[in-house]
Amino acid sequence: MGKEQTLLIVKPDAVRKNLIGEVLARLEKGGLKVVASKMVHLKEKEAEEFYAIHRERPFYRDLVNFMISGPVVISILEGEGAIAKNREIMGATNPKEAAPGTIRADFADSIDENAVHGSDGPDTARTEIAFFFTPQEICPRLKARDY
Ligand code: CMP
């Protein structure tokens, strides 16, 4: 699998509940490293573009409105199999289906307000990272001495 980078968003519901640290702590304890991070309040156009793949889905407008309802914390996580690891620690998209002890099982209220977003594969991770970060904003820790 090798070392990978993936995008994580702590969504407005989790930020409102003061869970930024808790979410990042769980991912760090899982072996992932934060190599870039910023808090932003997304503009409507940004949220629309980021979730453009869901444009035809019935939940698209609600999703965009939710994502601009408050600030989010967007991070790049790096590590062995980071994409799958992040998804494992987050739990299933629908908190009702999320395994016990996962972020979404513990903190998400519904599939719409589900606390976190994570890239679902290598191509998505690359696209999503480039959407929010310039290469200069990323501090990779891929050197062996950091692990
Ligand atoms: P996320 O991983 O951010 O990707 C798209 C989001 O749409 C998803 O998390 C959910 O919060 C939201 N969503 C709402 N309804 C659905 C659905 N039926 N299937 C998938 N995602 C949904």
Side-chain angles (χ1 to χ4, degrees):
M1 193 147 24
K3 283 168 190 151
E4 293 175 331
Q5 292 184 341
T6 190
L7 189 90
L8 167 80
I9 304 179
V10 183
K11 293 188 179 185
D13 57 328
V15 173
R16 274 191 283 274
K17 292 178 189 166
N18 244 3
L19 291 169
I20 300 166
E22 173 72 31
V23 168
L24 292 179
R26 287 184 181 210
L27 292 159
E28 288 187 331
K29 279 180 196 141
L32 297 173
K33 293 186 182 284
V34 177
V35 295
S37 197
K38 58 185 168 190
M39 182 177 232
V40 293
H41 197 146
L42 295 175
K43 305 254 185 299
E44 187 172 27
K45 284 270 166 295
E46 286 176 299
E48 285 175 349
E49 201 185 327
F50 182 75
Y51 279 120
I53 194 167
H54 296 304
R55 195 166 271 149
E56 305 305 325
R57 308 285 293 274
F59 57 82
Y60 178 66
R61 190 45 49 191
D62 285 344
L63 172 62
V64 168
N65 285 335
F66 168 60
M67 290 302 288
I68 62 171
S69 69
V72 296
V73 174
I74 308 176
S75 304
I76 302 174
L77 306 174
E78 186 178 274
E80 276 304 314
I83 297 166
K85 190 71 178 164
N86 182 35
R87 290 171 66 74
E88 178 193 322
I89 296 170
M90 289 193 304
T93 305
N94 186 346
K96 289 192 188 125
E97 292 161 13
T102 59
I103 291 169
R104 284 169 170 152
D106 288 347
F107 304 124
D109 292 327
S110 65
I111 191 168
D112 296 299
E113 304 206 358
N114 65 348
V116 281
H117 165 84
S119 308
D120 63 7
D123 291 342
T124 326
R126 261 188 297 278
T127 313
E128 292 185 349
I129 286 169
F131 187 87
F132 285 118
F133 292 94
T134 65
Q136 291 72 27
E137 290 176 303
I138 307 171
C139 305
R141 297 201 248 165
L142 287 170
K143 295 192 196 83
R145 65 183 158 83
D146 289 326
Y147 283 87

